[in-house]
Amino acid sequence: MKFTCDTNVLVDVLRDPSAEEAFSVFLSRFSHLTYLSAVVILELRAGARTSRQAKLLDQEVVQRFARANRVFTPSADAFSAAGKLLATLANREGWTDAHPSLVHDALLAASCRESGVTLITRDRDFARFKTVLRGWRFVAPWPQVSQ
């Protein structure tokens, strides 16, 4: 089983020492199974408002996964699946415009499915996707997995 963390989980890790400790414990056991999504890189980078924050993000998060060849990116098929997911939800829920974070979430979910990666998240929006986007998994932090 492979894992990736949602943006909300990594933001907690960067801001909260107890979340950072939990993440470190998780990585000490599962770093070989943990990947970083390019969608999450986009969201984290958009939130890094100072050059210091951007440098820290690049050095401590992005490069760590990039050096280990553990960054995955959505394919054209994932973009298509995310669009289909959003259209289905728009029809079902009666909305006309998707919030950008929901678009990112749909793309993240679709790319996790195609890469066989389980998403670690606190975001409850992902539950809305399960009936439309079959075959992908998400869990709350921090999953207990046997090696």
Side-chain angles (χ1 to χ4, degrees), residues 79-136:
F79 276 91
S80 181
K84 180 180 176 183
L85 168 63
L86 291 168
T88 301
L89 288 178
N91 287 334
R92 181 183 298 164
E93 298 175 7
W95 38 271
T96 55
D97 293 318
H99 189 277
S101 69
L102 193 62
V103 172
H104 295 166
D105 287 349
L107 185 56
L108 177 58
S111 63
C112 283
R113 179 181 70 173
E114 92 177 346
S115 297
V117 176
T118 298
L119 179 65
I120 301 170
T121 185
R122 286 191 176 85
D123 188 341
R124 294 184 182 164
D125 279 334
F126 288 103
R128 297 162 62 194
F129 299 171
K130 283 200 72 115
T131 60
V132 179
L133 190 66
R134 301 193 187 277
W136 78 284

Side-chain angles (χ1 to χ4, degrees), residues 5-24:
C5 292
D6 193 6
T7 304
N8 61 62
V9 172
L10 291 177
V11 167
D12 289 347
V13 167
L14 293 169
R15 292 182 178 166
D16 177 5
S18 64
E20 181 181 8
E21 175 63 23
F23 183 59
S24 293

Side-chain angles (χ1 to χ4, degrees), residues 62-73:
V62 176
Q63 290 307 313
R64 179 180 193 172
F65 285 93
R67 281 191 303 271
N69 199 27
R70 293 195 178 279
V71 175
F72 67 101
T73 59

